[in-house]
Amino acid sequence: MAGLRIPSRDGFESLLVRGLSALPRPAQQLLGGPRPVRIDGQQLEPEVQLTLRLLKLSGRSAFEELPVAEARAEIRREAALYSGAPIPIEQVEEVEVPGAAGPLPARLYSPAGLPSPAPLLVYLHGGGWVVGDLDTHDQPCRFLAVQAGVRVLSVDYRLAPEHPFPAAIEDSVAAARHAIEEAARFGADPARIAIGGDSAGGNLAAAAARLLTIDGGPVPAFQLLIYPVTDLTRKRESYRLFSEGFFLTARQMDWYRDHYLPDAADASDPRASPILTANLSGLPPAYVVTAGFDVLRDEGEDYAGLLRDAGVNVTATREPGLIHGFTHGAETGRAPRAAMLRVAEALAAGLAAAPRAASAQRSRS
């Protein structure tokens, strides 16, 4: 048996995930459970149902029961397991950007064939403000860079509980401001810079876009909000419907919030709960996408509605058969990939329209 390499547990599970994701839909449905999962008029995608069953059978500890350091390690393992092999990209550069209290690690993704200067997305990773980093969200950034034809600047803002609220949002504002003001440093067009993120990163992107707008700029041209946290003050119906069993649980959200907010009263601060912002008018155009089987679904859709009511150009999309975290499945699942292609298309279109929108605004003034 010399030379035979036995895969690690993570390696075996990664191979299993890829193999199962390639099965025909009926086979995935058969392996995923005795019957399709239907809730609130939606049916869970068979490949997602099968993935959730695999996660349950893996016997891994719920990370909210672990010390923070171990929870971060578990999230890194899960991201590597379900993201697949890294998408090839022409250049990935480790850089630094200024945060509110000092330099922050960041990563600049530059796909081939971009114009000069190029559109840029400032990306804020998810992870409940407690877990997640540049590596856990490496694959989604690669995907968006390649498929949307943009540079992506992924920012590693400070995490709680070591750096509780408002450290993360202050870092996000500082990093986004720097990216726009110093666009040439990143090969970017300052008129075509978006801010975006998933989950807690979507929360930070939404709050940062508002703060930059009311501070008088510079303002991002577009917001990309992927299943964002928008309200830490109350739980909507989607919390009851999907409280457990669909990857992100209500207990995990409580764990995140309790680590992030040093005082429960901070939940009412619009920097923590963007949906409580008194005036949302004047914000950049936005694409808000939610997952049908996600505790955060309803607050994301409510926020999109408030943006629309305030006159913001917003597109709201629900991916009805998917769960929280689908950004990581674009290379290992058909339905997540289709959803992420729609996200990339919206980002490309939003930034392509930005210079024309800016010109129209100048001619009106």
Side-chain angles (χ1 to χ4, degrees), residues 109-133:
Y109 299 82
S110 301
L114 292 182
S116 182
L120 174 75
L121 168 65
V122 178
Y123 194 84
L124 304 166
H125 65 77
W129 315 275
V130 178
V131 302
D133 55 30

Side-chain angles (χ1 to χ4, degrees), residues 46-361:
E47 62 185 297
V48 176
Q49 186 173 338
L50 180 54
T51 298
L52 289 172
R53 187 177 189 192
L54 180 64
L55 266 176
K56 185 176 181 180
L57 293 173
S58 71
R60 294 184 185 273
S61 300
F63 73 81
E64 69 272 20
E65 299 173 357
L66 300 172
V68 168
E70 293 181 27
R72 290 171 180 164
E74 180 61 26
I75 288 297
R76 283 193 291 271
R77 283 193 294 270
E78 287 185 359
L81 176 61
Y82 289 96
S83 293
I87 298 167
I89 195 166
E90 183 172 81
Q91 184 176 16
V92 180
E93 183 183 359
E94 304 296 330
V95 298
E96 283 188 343
V97 295
L104 300 171
R107 189 172 290 167
L108 181 64
Y109 299 82
S110 301
L114 292 182
S116 182
L120 174 75
L121 168 65
V122 178
Y123 194 84
L124 304 166
H125 65 77
W129 315 275
V130 178
V131 302
D133 55 30
L134 298 180
D135 291 335
T136 60
H137 286 68
D138 178 73
Q139 189 79 313
C141 290
R142 288 171 180 264
F143 186 93
L144 291 173
V146 171
Q147 296 296 335
V150 301
R151 286 195 169 94
V152 175
L153 180 67
S154 182
V155 177
D156 205 11
Y157 55 85
R158 290 172 293 165
L159 296 178
E162 297 92 338
H163 304 283
F165 174 84
I169 181 58
E170 290 176 347
D171 283 349
S172 301
V173 170
R177 179 179 285 118
H178 175 76
I180 301 172
E181 291 177 342
E182 303 295 331
R185 175 190 170 194
F186 306 106
D189 178 353
R192 291 188 295 158
I193 295 181
I195 188 167
D198 64 290
S199 194
N203 167 277
L204 295 172
R210 180 186 72 89
L211 291 170
L212 289 166
T213 300
I214 65 176
D215 285 350
V219 180
F222 191 71
Q223 302 177 73
L224 182 67
L225 309 180
I226 304 172
Y227 39 76
V229 182
T230 66
D231 193 351
L232 290 174
T233 64
R234 72 182 183 90
K235 298 176 179 179
R236 289 163 172 75
E237 176 68 2
S238 54
Y239 263 87
R240 184 188 68 79
L241 292 171
F242 314 113
S243 62
E244 59 181 270
F246 300 100
F247 186 63
L248 179 66
T249 67
R251 284 185 62 206
Q252 287 170 353
M253 281 304 303
D254 291 343
W255 187 84
Y256 286 139
R257 185 190 61 244
D258 292 346
H259 280 82
Y260 181 50
L261 301 180
D263 185 332
D266 290 331
S268 297
D269 189 320
R271 294 175 297 170
S273 296
I275 206 166
L276 301 182
T277 302
N279 183 4
L280 292 169
S281 62
L283 290 178
Y287 182 78
V288 183
V289 58
T290 57
F293 289 76
D294 184 4
V295 294
L296 301 179
R297 184 194 70 184
D298 292 355
E299 64 191 74
E301 293 175 2
D302 285 353
Y303 185 67
L306 290 176
L307 287 173
R308 188 178 294 111
D309 292 345
V312 177
N313 180 7
V314 59
T315 299
T317 300
R318 179 191 293 184
E319 299 293 346
L322 297 183
I323 60 173
H324 195 91
F326 68 73
T327 54
H328 290 84
E331 292 301 298
T332 55
R334 290 184 289 267
R337 181 177 182 82
M340 283 296 286
L341 285 171
R342 286 186 281 272
V343 171
E345 182 181 11
L347 174 61
L351 286 176
R356 293 193 292 273
S359 298
Q361 179 63 38

